[in-house]
Amino acid sequence: MSRYHEIKHRVVTTFQRRVANPLSSRMPGQILLETTGRTSGLPRRTPVGGSRVGQEFWLVSEYGDKSQYVRNILADPRVRVRIKGTWHTGTAHPMPEDDPRARLRKLPTGNSAVVRLMGTNLLTVRVDLAD
């Protein structure tokens, strides 16, 4: 990763962690992804954008396996997703073989534009929903 991308990652993730995520997590319509902290074992909730297609939920991570929630998924793929105020359990699968830019064209426009703009290492994640 280039120095520019490292700095961009650090600035954006600090802003998201300290400002954007705490605010958007409180919004009732915000989709949340809940993973289990790989060290603490505690629930970790991250606002995400994506779309449910049948029994699958699709999203694209801006920073791939540098994203904390992706690292948590790699350690324990059991997750929950809050969609329209309802929690769903599922199993998350990073999909490095999927084209994340093509996937973003199928997901909600607003979030997809931000992910394309801010992201440096896009990675598609599919959650197989159990309920």
Side-chain angles (χ1 to χ4, degrees), residues 82-99:
R82 187 182 78 181
I83 306 167
K84 296 181 181 177
T86 302
W87 285 99
H88 305 272
T89 59
T91 305
H93 306 277
M95 308 286 291
E97 66 281 359
D98 191 68
D99 179 352

Side-chain angles (χ1 to χ4, degrees), residues 48-63:
V48 296
S51 185
R52 183 176 183 162
V53 179
Q55 286 302 107
E56 299 172 337
F57 181 80
W58 292 86
L59 67 122
V60 175
S61 167
E62 294 169 315
Y63 299 110

Side-chain angles (χ1 to χ4, degrees), residues 70-121:
V70 172
R71 294 171 73 185
N72 289 343
I73 287 168
L74 293 170
D76 181 355
R78 294 172 298 169
V79 300
R80 293 193 321 149
V81 183
R82 187 182 78 181
I83 306 167
K84 296 181 181 177
T86 302
W87 285 99
H88 305 272
T89 59
T91 305
H93 306 277
M95 308 286 291
E97 66 281 359
D98 191 68
D99 179 352
R101 293 200 180 278
R103 181 66 55 192
L104 284 170
R105 288 191 288 276
K106 298 176 183 177
L107 298 178
T109 309
N111 181 75
S112 294
V114 172
V115 170
R116 271 192 296 278
L117 178 67
M118 299 298 182
T120 57
N121 184 28

Side-chain angles (χ1 to χ4, degrees), residues 7-57:
I7 292 169
K8 182 179 178 182
H9 176 259
R10 192 172 306 125
V11 168
V12 171
T13 56
T14 298
F15 173 77
Q16 287 174 332
R17 189 175 312 121
R18 298 191 190 278
V19 179
N21 289 359
L23 292 174
S24 62
S25 293
R26 291 180 175 85
M27 297 172 64
Q30 175 66 53
I31 298 170
L32 294 178
L33 175 69
E34 184 180 85
T35 60
T36 301
R38 60 194 176 283
T39 302
S40 68
L42 297 173
R44 300 295 183 202
R45 292 182 177 172
T46 305
V48 296
S51 185
R52 183 176 183 162
V53 179
Q55 286 302 107
E56 299 172 337
F57 181 80

